[in-house]
Each structure stands twice: as structure tokens, then as C-alpha cells.
Amino acid sequence: MKDLFGKAILDYQTHNSPEDLITETSISEADEMSVAYLFRDFKEMPKLERKALQLAKGKVLDVGCGAGSHALYLQEKGFDVTAIDISENAIKACELRGLKNCKVSDVLNLDTSEKFDTILLLMNGTGIFGKMNQISKFLQKLKSLLNEGGQILIDSSDLIYMYDQDEDGAYEVPANGYYGELTFTIQYKGETEDTFDWLYLDYNTLQNAAIANGLECELILEGKHFDYLAKLSL
């Protein structure tokens, strides 16, 4: 991994001539994304993210923290927050922004001796699952990191709207896999990141997976663009 996403974050934080990220998926054309968006404050966040932060309780783990905006907001509110990301550059930026407890780590590698009351996975939190056959592995790990009475707050989107419909109204989705399984490519300053898997889940599929892994699942909020926030709990 070239860590181009993290490089863009660190460039923005250190005023090192940041440029827009170019993102492209297996079902969408190249699109520009401003790195500044990752540094948004609470008022600039989408309603789903604000709701998740308002529901946070106790000791918090922010998985895939990126530039650290969610964790910083909670830290300023007095929460005990641990933020993790697989990007070394992103974590450097988080440290420069004043995040006290952040580290480079894959959630699958966390020691389960440390438990949390709230686990956040935001900005399409299901993305890190990658593929459908990886969901149970991640949910079991997240479950093992929860205190009794703890919660996982996770968001995603139902991408069915991106597919064409036939004259009967049926969506023309791929026959050889789940329609939310995408491959993702990022470009930054002329470099291209290695293509990676990224999973968008509709709510019913997430709910079924949660139940199959011994978790309750509650729909908290739906957005305007087929996106939603869900709470998983023991």
C-alpha cells in the first residue's frame, strides 16, 4: 500500500501543497474529492455522523479514523477515545491535530483484553469488510471488543440505486456476486494506489449478518441518498 489517502491527509495538515484525491470504483467513473472534507467540524458533518457522535457513550474506539475529525470531537467533549487507522500518514496527521490516543493498527489485530463501550465505523464503515465472505470475521472481532451493554455504530449505503432497471422495474445487478462489492482506486499527485476491495451493505443484509453473529441490529437513521446509520449490540 502506497498510503496515498494518508499522504493527502498529512499534506493538508502540514500545508504541503495538498491536491484533490481522485477516486474511482468498479461501478463509477473517476471523481474528485477535496481532502479538506476530511477535516470538517461537527457542524459540517452529515446528519448520520452527527447522530452517531451524539449516541457515543463510555470508552470509545474509532475504527478507520482517517484525519481524526470524529475522534477529536469526542475528545473535546471529554470522552476517552482511541483512534486507529492502517495509514501511518493519517495517524501522524491525527497526532499533529492533538489527538491523544491514536495508533496505526488494523482492527483485526487489536488485543481483546481492552474493551470499549462504543465502537465507531463511519464514512461507510462496512467498507473495511471488503467482501461479503469477510463480514463474519469482522463482526466477531468487533463483538469481542465490546463491554457488556456496548454498541457498534456503523453506517453504509444501499447502492441499488446506481444500477439500471428493466421495464418491469427489476434492478439489473451482477449475477455473480453481491452488488455492493466494489473495487476502489485512489489517485493522488500523479500516483495510483493499489486497487482494494470496499463493501457497501444495504441495511437488511447488515441486519441478517449481525443476527447470524449474535448481535442485535437497530436502524437508527436513514439519509437522503440510500445511506443509513445502524447500531449493533450484544
Side-chain angles (χ1 to χ4, degrees):
M1 188 177 77
K2 299 175 184 176
D3 195 11
L4 298 184
F5 196 75
K7 186 177 189 305
I9 289 171
L10 188 58
D11 281 351
Y12 186 90
Q13 175 62 31
T14 58
H15 309 290
N16 183 31
S17 304
E19 297 178 8
D20 286 348
L21 287 155
I22 309 297
T23 63
E24 187 173 354
T25 77
S26 48
I27 63 168
S28 62
E29 297 178 353
D31 190 27
E32 291 187 6
M33 175 185 175
S34 172
V35 187
Y37 179 70
L38 302 173
F39 287 78
R40 61 198 178 280
D41 61 22
F42 183 80
K43 292 179 182 177
E44 297 171 314
M45 292 177 190
K47 186 189 295 186
L48 296 182
E49 292 175 24
R50 295 200 306 268
K51 183 65 174 178
L53 295 179
Q54 289 166 344
L55 290 174
K57 62 180 183 179
K59 190 175 181 182
V60 180
L61 174 66
D62 184 5
V63 178
C65 65
S69 295
H70 302 122
L72 277 169
Y73 172 81
L74 293 175
Q75 179 178 284
E76 290 165 4
K77 291 291 183 181
F79 284 86
D80 177 358
V81 188
T82 299
I84 63 170
D85 203 289
I86 60 172
S87 164
E88 291 186 20
N89 287 318
I91 293 300
K92 286 178 186 174
C94 287
E95 291 171 344
L96 291 171
R97 296 186 75 190
L99 203 50
K100 295 174 184 175
N101 189 4
C102 52
K103 58 185 177 181
V104 180
S105 179
D106 185 320
V107 67
L108 293 174
N109 296 331
L110 287 185
D111 188 340
T112 55
S113 63
E114 186 174 13
K115 307 286 187 182
F116 300 89
D117 302 296
T118 299
I119 301 177
L120 296 175
L121 297 97
L122 300 178
M123 287 192 73
N124 189 45
T126 65
I128 65 168
F129 301 165
K131 286 187 172 293
M132 293 289 287
N133 62 11
Q134 299 293 305
I135 296 175
S136 289
K137 177 172 69 175
F138 277 92
L139 290 182
Q140 286 295 329
K141 181 65 180 188
L142 292 167
K143 182 179 171 183
S144 73
L145 294 168
L146 279 180
N147 277 324
E148 187 173 346
Q151 60 180 353
I152 301 162
L153 297 171
I154 185 167
D155 65 354
S156 193
S157 300
D158 185 350
L159 295 189
I160 195 70
Y161 74 95
M162 295 192 65
Y163 292 86
D164 293 330
Q165 290 177 278
D166 63 23
E167 50 192 37
D168 295 324
Y171 287 96
E172 298 175 356
V173 297
N176 59 346
Y178 176 66
Y179 63 83
E181 282 185 340
L182 307 187
T183 54
F184 219 97
T185 306
I186 292 173
Q187 292 181 315
Y188 182 65
K189 289 187 173 179
E191 287 191 87
T192 302
E193 185 62 85
D194 297 335
T195 298
F196 56 93
D197 296 321
W198 197 246
L199 181 64
Y200 288 85
L201 280 181
D202 68 278
Y203 175 72
N204 286 338
T205 300
L206 175 64
Q207 184 181 46
N208 290 337
I211 292 169
N213 284 280
L215 290 162
E216 295 181 8
C217 186
E218 178 185 353
L219 181 63
I220 299 296
L221 193 63
E222 290 182 284
K224 296 178 181 178
H225 306 290
F226 296 83
D227 53 341
Y228 65 88
L229 173 69
K231 180 174 80 170
L232 311 184
S233 53
L234 297 172

